[in-house]
Amino acid sequence: MAGIKIVKPADRDRGTAQTAGMVREAGISQATAGVSTIWSGYVKTPPGSASGAHHHGDCETAIYVLSGSVRFRFGPHLEQAIDAGAGDFVFVPPNEIHLEENLSATEPNELIVSRGCTTMLVVNVPDPRAETPG
C-alpha cells in the first residue's frame, strides 16, 4: 500500500492478541495498515487491576504512558519493579517476562505501545511468583 494511512479509533483491530487484565487495540499493524516491520497500538488497564504475566518474544517494546500511574514488575520472579506516569517512556527488552499494575483504584491507565516486530507477539505465561520450588 502506498501513501500515508490513518487508522481511526473505530478502525483499530480489537482482535489482536490479549493478556488478562488489559485491553489491546492494534493501531498500526499488518491488518490495519499493511505494515511489515512494526506494530503500534493502544492499551488500557482498568483501575486497580494488573495484567497477567507475559513477554513479547524477540520484539523490543517501547511504551509511552498517556495517562495514569503504572508499575511494571519484571525479573525471574517479578521481584523487581519500576513505576511510570503520564509522559514517561518505558523500554521492555525482548523476552522480558513482566506485568503491568494500575496504581490507581479509580482511573484507568492508557498506554501507546510500539514493537519492532512484524506481528503483535504476546506470549502469556504462568505467574512466576506462583511457581513452587522443585
Side-chain angles (χ1 to χ4, degrees):
M1 168 187 224
I4 294 174
K5 170 88 175 170
I6 294 176
V7 178
K8 301 281 189 181
D11 298 328
R12 294 178 191 157
D13 180 5
R14 288 160 182 80
T16 192
Q18 299 293 325
T19 297
M22 61 179 20
V23 175
R24 288 190 188 95
E25 298 176 354
I28 303 298
S29 68
Q30 287 178 333
T32 63
V35 299
S36 60
T37 60
I38 63 171
W39 184 96
S40 188
Y42 171 82
V43 176
K44 189 172 187 177
T45 306
S49 70
S51 74
H54 61 283
H55 67 82
H56 302 287
D58 292 332
C59 299
E60 292 183 312
T61 300
I63 299 169
Y64 179 75
V65 181
L66 283 171
S67 67
S69 296
V70 58
R71 175 167 293 144
F72 291 85
R73 294 197 179 273
F74 60 100
H77 299 285
L78 303 177
E79 71 280 6
Q80 298 179 54
I82 58 168
D83 294 347
D88 290 342
F89 280 93
V90 178
F91 171 70
V92 180
N95 298 298
E96 181 75 51
I97 294 174
H98 62 284
L99 61 77
E100 295 95 43
E101 298 174 337
N102 184 339
L103 298 177
S104 172
T106 59
E107 299 296 323
N109 285 331
E110 295 180 290
L111 313 170
I112 297 297
V113 178
S114 297
R115 294 203 174 82
C117 53
T118 58
T119 60
M120 175 39 203
L121 180 64
V122 175
V123 180
N124 295 310
V125 299
D127 190 324
R129 297 172 295 185
E131 294 177 1
T132 55

